[in-house]
């Protein structure tokens, strides 16, 4: 309805395959549906094989549409296969294709058993080329600059450090001076402590020798420095994760892909043909190179024919991600009558495709079932029940987490003056608790022993609660940081005699599962995990088949049912309530939970830092394989509000289940302490030293948090709460968060 677009004549949708992105896709599809027919539309992509289907749908919306498919690449691309052999000085580079066909010698290098890092071939050992050797080979063959894709942030940094440590230098004096100018421009605003926390000096030293890394764990300013130097031809090799393949203009002469598999958080999956094409699409600079090169490294996990299949595939079927979100449903109620809303949904690309999917999905379901059954068979062990062993490991981890939570609670009850028995070490014997602090990293105790030495214990270093053997009255005045106080405590302790408890602490005898004797246990656990992943994929396919049999409009009805039950929509009158109006103005995956939290008063009466901490529960999602740290809040009141938010979430989940709507993501407190610390002004170094967090993750998550804080400031019904949201957003917009562009 905006008059700002009344004069628009054309709209270009670049990278139109992002219609299948879970978050951007539905918005882009809405744009396509709503555009006036008179506006000319151009959609561009290098990875859409069903262009005719997409064009047919657009034609149903806008009228005459032409699909233009160009098969010729602007810069010719040569595909290579790279491997190392023991005894050879440099890696061996084979052409992937010869005269348009797969190299017939390639399969000779397939590992007979794909679970070893190297294997023997004719008395020689074949293995994945070392990164330094690969860079040296590319330099000798004039195949730089190169982007070297490694699907691990830590490995990207390690690869750059390794190459620098090997003495690889790819720049001259003039280039290093120009690199210094880029560094001064992009990183000059960092102070000494920030440079130390982010290892900027090491990063710059590698950059000056033409070696860089680029990944989402870096702050935007560091990534921008790499990008600027690479575009200027100053950095010759960049070790990067796949995020570099999207949205950043950094073409190279050569692209190296170290592995064709990447970890998705649960299992290792092979790249899709579309992902492979996106990565290799960086190879060959227009107007500079006549030929671009794509290099795939040998791996024991991927056969040569699989590499050929990826490199030659042109199967990139675009699927709509259009779905009825709460925000979309509320806006449809606000802007359309019932018939108009359903008509818009029935015109979606998702509905267009749904009617064609049933037969194809049934065949896919059968194939996945065969693969799942094969993986289950391969996971079985002659030594015992592999599934029982896996369940036992899960149970042990849960029990360990519960013991740690119990230990944290019990440690919190040890007040200053309590005497406990310390076992082992030079301070063995009774010791007095002089301080008990609840830190973000866990509960921490300071004690004074009989020798007067100060001992520090934290929950991570303890496996059990120390035995309490008594208590003494601490000297006055209470000054736990002074040595004179420590001496006085020592003297008071030594005036008493404390006996050890007569009941010995129960020992836990370690039991060994027979499956642990299986020499192939790791491989079988991996196959079991693959089977679990296929089970989830099979369930997802069945759900898609169910959805395909129901219209998008029916899904919209279910969403309206949720909004109606929660009194955000008056279904009979087809209008929004005041809370429903707020949903139309929240553009976030947790839009409805945010509005329900406002209605429940979760954020009312709190300081800006506490408001930021609680809002982060809607933004953050713990994705590490490592267990999350215990949550930390600044006060019991804020912890109680977090519990209230969790209850709102649980109530919403129950309503979603009743109406068969995809359940929202529940609150996650993993970023709350960081958000609080940043808003109250803690220095970057304090947060990075204390938390298991990269600078890039801090910046990216904080920007997402600021965006939601600003949205909630504009809709909060209480003026003081709105001001707290606004103040939190302003306070958070500082330092590295405010300096760089949006993190990728």
């Amino acid at each position: 309805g905006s008059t700002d677009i009344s004069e628009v004549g054309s709209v270009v949708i670049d990278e139109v395959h992002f219609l299948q992105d879970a978050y951007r896709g539905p918005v882009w599809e809405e744009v396509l549906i709503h555009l006036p027919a008179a506006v000319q539309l151009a959609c561009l992509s290098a990875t859409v094989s069903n262009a005719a289907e997409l064009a047919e749908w657009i034609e149903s919306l806008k009228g005459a549409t032409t699909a233009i498919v160009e098969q010729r690449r602007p810069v010719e691309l040569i595909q290579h296969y790279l491997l190392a052999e023991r005894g050879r000085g440099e890696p061996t580079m084979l052409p992937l294709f010869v005269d348009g066909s797969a190299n017939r010698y390639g399969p000779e290098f397939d590992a007979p058993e794909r679970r070893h890092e190297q294997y023997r071939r004719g008395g020689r050992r074949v293995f994945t080329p070392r990164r330094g050797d690969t860079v040296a080979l590319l330099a000798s063959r004039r195949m730089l600059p190169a982007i070297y894709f490694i699907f691990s942030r830590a490995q990207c940094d390690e690869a750059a450090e390794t190459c620098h440590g090997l003495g690889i230098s790819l720049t001259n004096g003039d280039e290093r001076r120009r690199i210094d100018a880029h560094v001064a421009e992009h990183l000059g605003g960092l102070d000494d402590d920030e440079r130390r926390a982010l290892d900027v000096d090491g990063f710059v030293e590698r950059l000056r020798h033409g070696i860089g890394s680029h990944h989402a764990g870096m702050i935007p300013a560091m990534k921008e420095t790499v990008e600027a130097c690479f575009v200027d031809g100053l950095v010759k090799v960049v070790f990067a994760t796949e995020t570099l393949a999207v949205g950043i203009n950094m073409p190279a002469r050569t692209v190296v892909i170290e592995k064709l598999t990447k970890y998705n958080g649960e299992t290792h999956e092979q790249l899709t043909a579309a992902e492979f094409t996106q990565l290799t699409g960086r190879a060959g600079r227009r107007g500079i190179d006549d030929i671009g090169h794509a290099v795939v490294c040998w791996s024991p996990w991927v056969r040569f024919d699989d590499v050929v299949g990826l490199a030659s595939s042109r199967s990139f079927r675009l699927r709509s991600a259009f779905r009825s979100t709460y925000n979309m449903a509320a806006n449809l109620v606000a802007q359309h009558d019932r018939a108009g809303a359903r008509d818009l949904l029935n015109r979606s690309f998702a509905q267009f495709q749904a009617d064609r999917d049933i037969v194809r999905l049934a065949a896919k379901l059968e194939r996945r079932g065969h693969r799942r059954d094969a993986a289950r068979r391969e996971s079985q062990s002659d030594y015992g029940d592999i599934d029982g062993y896996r369940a036992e490991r899960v149970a042990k981890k849960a029990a360990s987490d519960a013991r740690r939570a119990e230990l944290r609670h019990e440690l919190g009850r040890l007040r200053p003056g309590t005497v406990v028995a310390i076992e082992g070490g030079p301070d063995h014997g009774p010791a007095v608790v002089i301080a008990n602090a609840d830190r973000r990293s866990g509960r921490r105790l300071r004690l004074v022993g009989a020798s007067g030495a100060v001992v520090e214990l934290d929950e991570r270093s303890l496996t059990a609660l120390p035995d309490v053997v008594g208590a003494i009255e601490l000297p006055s005045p209470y000054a736990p940081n002074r040595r004179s106080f420590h001496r006085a405590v020592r003297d008071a302790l030594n005036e008493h005699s404390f006996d050890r408890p007569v009941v010995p602490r129960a020992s836990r005898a370690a039991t060994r599962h027979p499956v642990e004797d299986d020499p192939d246990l790791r491989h079988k656990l991996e196959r079991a995990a693959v089977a679990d992943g296929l089970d989830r994929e099979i369930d997802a396919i069945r759900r898609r088949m169910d959805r395909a049999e129901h219209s998008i409009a029916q899904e919209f009805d279910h969403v309206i049912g949720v909004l109606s039950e929660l009194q955000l929509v008056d279904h009979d009158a087809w209008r929004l309530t005041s809370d429903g109006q707020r949903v139309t103005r929240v553009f976030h995956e947790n839009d409805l939970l945010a509005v329900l939290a406002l209605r429940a008063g979760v954020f009312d009466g709190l300081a800006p830092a506490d408001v930021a901490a609680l809002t982060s529960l809607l933004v953050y999602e713990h994705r590490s394989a490592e267990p999350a740290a215990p949550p930390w809040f600044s006060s019991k009141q804020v912890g109680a509000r977090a519990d209230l938010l969790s209850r709102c979430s649980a109530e919403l989940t129950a309503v979603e289940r009743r109406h068969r709507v995809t359940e929202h993501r529940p609150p996650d407190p993993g970023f709350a302490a960081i958000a609080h610390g940043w808003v109250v002004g803690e220095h970057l170094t304090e947060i990075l030293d204390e938390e298991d967090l990269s600078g890039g993750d801090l910046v990216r998550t904080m920007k997402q948090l600021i965006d939601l804080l600003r949205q909630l400031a504009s809709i909060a019904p209480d003026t003081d709460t709105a001001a707290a949201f606004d103040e939190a957003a302003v306070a958070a917009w500082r330092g590295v968060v405010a300096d760089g562009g949006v993190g990728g």
Side-chain angles (χ1 to χ4, degrees):
S2 172
T3 58
D4 292 342
I5 63 168
S6 59
E7 300 298 319
V8 171
S10 300
V11 169
V12 179
I13 306 289
D14 194 11
E15 309 288 5
V16 72
H17 52 266
F18 276 113
L19 280 175
Q20 63 192 3
D21 182 82
Y23 301 114
R24 284 172 284 189
V27 179
W28 286 28
E29 200 160 321
E30 279 191 85
V31 169
L32 291 169
I33 293 170
H34 281 293
L35 273 179
V39 175
Q40 181 165 306
L41 188 65
C43 300
L44 313 176
S45 177
T47 52
V48 172
S49 58
N50 56 330
E53 181 185 38
L54 178 62
E56 186 180 346
W57 169 65
I58 294 175
E59 184 163 336
S60 72
L61 297 175
K62 306 300 176 192
T65 302
T66 304
I68 302 171
V69 180
E70 173 59 74
Q71 301 287 1
R72 182 182 57 85
R73 201 174 188 274
V75 178
E76 181 186 355
L77 181 66
I78 298 179
Q79 310 265 6
H80 306 272
Y81 193 54
L82 191 67
L83 56 101
E85 295 183 75
R86 188 76 68 194
R88 291 181 63 93
E90 66 176 24
T92 299
M93 187 177 288
L94 302 175
L96 206 56
F97 300 97
V98 177
D99 297 329
S101 300
N103 186 339
R104 65 189 180 92
Y105 295 108
E108 291 185 12
F109 296 94
D110 283 341
E113 295 185 17
R114 291 185 291 170
R115 53 179 183 269
H116 300 291
E117 294 302 322
Q118 57 186 18
Y119 85 103
R120 293 185 180 276
R121 171 182 171 273
R124 293 175 294 178
R125 288 186 176 180
V126 178
F127 54 92
T128 304
R130 296 183 180 90
R131 293 154 181 168
D133 293 341
T134 300
V135 172
L137 176 68
L138 297 180
S140 69
R141 297 197 178 190
R142 302 179 64 82
M143 292 172 66
L144 297 179
I147 299 174
Y148 201 125
F149 284 109
I150 303 174
F151 304 127
S152 163
R153 299 178 185 182
Q155 288 292 309
C156 286
D157 292 334
E158 182 180 307
E161 291 170 5
T162 298
C163 288
H164 181 250
L166 290 170
I168 295 175
S169 184
L170 306 170
T171 56
N172 57 37
D174 178 64
E175 288 173 327
R176 285 193 281 273
R177 284 190 292 273
R178 292 164 61 194
I179 289 171
D180 289 341
H182 282 297
V183 169
E185 178 184 353
H186 292 282
L187 300 175
L190 298 177
D191 62 34
D192 290 342
D193 287 337
E194 290 171 332
R195 293 176 70 91
R196 177 190 61 77
L198 299 168
D199 187 28
V200 170
D201 291 342
F203 164 80
V204 171
E205 182 60 24
R206 295 187 289 273
L207 214 58
R208 297 183 79 249
H209 289 275
I211 304 166
S213 55
H214 190 290
H215 55 76
M218 299 164 62
I219 64 169
M222 293 174 74
K223 291 192 291 184
E224 290 163 4
T225 306
V226 176
E227 293 160 16
C229 291
F230 195 84
V231 169
D232 278 0
L234 303 173
V235 170
K236 308 304 169 60
V237 60
V238 173
F239 296 95
T241 56
E242 71 272 23
T243 55
L244 182 60
V246 178
I248 299 172
N249 183 29
M250 281 179 62
R253 179 170 293 161
T254 301
V255 163
V256 180
I257 303 178
E258 185 171 74
K259 289 184 179 179
L260 291 179
T261 56
K262 63 178 181 178
Y263 188 64
N264 65 3
E266 295 178 351
T267 61
H268 286 85
E269 292 186 348
Q270 185 167 299
L271 295 178
T272 66
E275 289 170 332
F276 183 88
T277 300
Q278 285 286 342
L279 296 175
T280 58
R282 294 289 179 189
R285 298 165 295 175
R286 293 192 192 191
I288 301 176
D289 299 321
D290 296 325
I291 295 173
H293 302 273
V295 179
V296 177
C297 296
W298 180 92
S299 167
W301 314 106
V302 181
R303 298 189 184 279
F304 182 83
D305 288 345
D306 295 334
V307 181
V308 170
L310 276 179
S312 58
S313 175
R314 292 296 176 266
S315 178
F316 320 125
R317 186 169 188 261
L318 172 62
R319 286 204 56 82
S320 170
F322 191 79
R323 67 196 189 285
S324 294
T325 65
Y326 295 117
N327 171 276
M328 178 194 295
N331 275 293
L332 286 176
V333 173
Q335 299 173 23
H336 301 271
D337 59 20
R338 292 178 204 270
R342 296 180 73 86
D343 176 63
L344 182 142
L345 295 166
N346 285 328
R347 291 161 59 200
S348 68
F349 190 35
Q351 186 63 51
F352 187 83
Q353 290 185 309
D355 299 332
R356 306 179 177 202
D357 277 351
I358 295 298
V359 174
R360 184 182 59 80
L361 287 172
K364 186 176 182 180
L365 184 66
E366 184 178 9
R367 292 195 300 271
R368 294 297 187 273
H370 289 321
R371 285 177 55 192
R372 185 268 317 277
D373 294 342
R376 285 279 180 231
R377 288 193 298 271
E378 293 174 27
S379 73
Q380 298 309 302
S381 172
D382 294 335
Y383 290 78
D385 179 7
I386 194 82
D387 292 325
Y389 171 66
R390 296 170 71 219
E392 186 178 295
R393 289 208 310 176
V394 172
K396 284 182 177 178
K397 181 182 180 303
S400 175
D401 291 343
R403 283 196 300 272
R404 181 173 174 181
E406 181 183 5
L407 177 62
R408 183 188 185 101
H409 174 72
E410 292 299 326
L411 286 174
R413 300 173 65 178
L414 299 180
R415 302 268 67 89
T418 303
V419 180
V420 300
I422 297 179
E423 296 183 356
D427 298 298
H428 176 82
V432 184
V433 177
I434 62 169
N436 188 333
D438 188 10
R439 303 296 186 194
R440 293 175 187 168
S441 56
R443 178 69 63 174
R444 188 175 301 169
L445 301 181
R446 294 185 72 200
L447 307 97
V448 171
S451 67
V454 176
V455 181
E456 292 203 358
L457 299 178
D458 62 58
E459 64 184 64
R460 290 180 294 185
S461 64
L462 293 171
T463 58
L465 184 72
D467 290 321
V468 176
V469 295
I472 67 170
E473 184 176 346
L474 292 178
S476 182
Y478 177 68
N481 294 322
R482 293 183 179 177
R483 292 184 180 179
S484 58
F485 180 76
H486 301 161
R487 290 192 294 269
V489 171
R490 175 200 62 195
D491 295 341
L493 173 64
N494 290 329
E495 290 175 1
H496 298 78
S497 177
F498 297 98
D499 296 325
R500 294 299 306 272
V502 295
V503 181
R505 184 178 292 135
S507 63
R508 294 187 177 93
T511 57
R512 182 176 177 83
H513 196 286
V515 165
E516 294 182 45
D517 293 325
D518 191 334
D520 212 12
L521 178 59
R522 180 177 178 181
H523 172 67
K524 289 176 178 177
L525 289 174
E526 288 175 351
R527 299 310 296 163
V530 168
D532 289 345
L534 287 167
D535 270 334
R536 289 188 290 273
E537 192 173 345
I538 286 168
D539 289 342
I541 292 172
R542 286 176 175 152
R543 289 194 298 271
R544 282 178 58 189
M545 291 179 71
D546 290 341
R547 288 198 298 270
E549 292 175 338
H550 298 84
S551 71
I552 302 299
Q554 286 175 310
E555 181 185 82
F556 169 72
D557 289 341
H558 294 317
V559 172
I560 291 295
V562 172
L563 296 175
S564 297
E565 181 173 339
L566 293 171
Q567 299 181 341
L568 288 95
V569 168
D570 183 334
H571 191 274
D572 294 334
W574 196 252
R575 63 178 179 80
L576 299 174
T577 65
S578 58
D579 287 325
Q581 292 285 353
R582 293 187 177 94
V583 176
T584 67
R585 297 170 61 189
V586 181
F587 299 90
H588 188 268
E589 60 174 311
N590 255 330
D591 46 12
L592 182 52
L593 181 57
V595 170
L596 295 178
L598 283 174
R599 184 167 72 181
V602 168
F603 309 101
D604 293 345
L606 298 177
D610 291 328
V611 165
L614 288 171
T615 305
S616 76
L617 272 66
L618 303 171
V619 173
Y620 179 75
E621 182 178 9
H622 180 75
R623 294 184 177 181
S624 171
E626 297 297 319
W632 178 92
F633 298 105
S634 63
S635 67
K636 290 183 179 179
Q637 181 190 21
V638 179
R641 296 295 182 86
D643 291 340
L644 176 57
L645 179 58
S646 294
R647 291 197 298 275
C648 291
S649 175
E651 292 167 4
L652 174 55
T653 298
V655 176
E656 288 170 330
R657 288 175 180 170
R658 282 197 291 276
H659 291 273
R660 292 177 295 161
V661 169
T662 302
E663 294 173 23
H664 71 287
R665 181 175 58 77
D668 189 327
F671 197 76
I674 300 167
H676 183 279
W678 186 256
V679 171
V680 298
E682 284 190 14
H683 197 277
L684 175 70
T685 54
E686 294 180 72
I687 291 176
L688 297 187
D689 287 346
E690 183 75 24
E691 305 291 343
D692 182 17
L693 186 76
S694 70
D697 286 335
L698 170 69
V699 171
R700 186 174 58 259
T701 308
M702 195 61 65
K703 285 185 175 179
Q704 294 169 351
L705 174 59
I706 290 169
D707 178 53
L708 184 56
L709 287 169
R710 288 170 175 166
Q711 293 185 52
L712 297 182
S714 69
I715 64 169
D718 182 86
T719 56
D720 290 338
T721 303
F725 280 122
D726 190 54
E727 289 176 30
V730 171
W733 188 252
R734 65 179 179 87
V736 293
V737 174
D739 286 344
V742 176

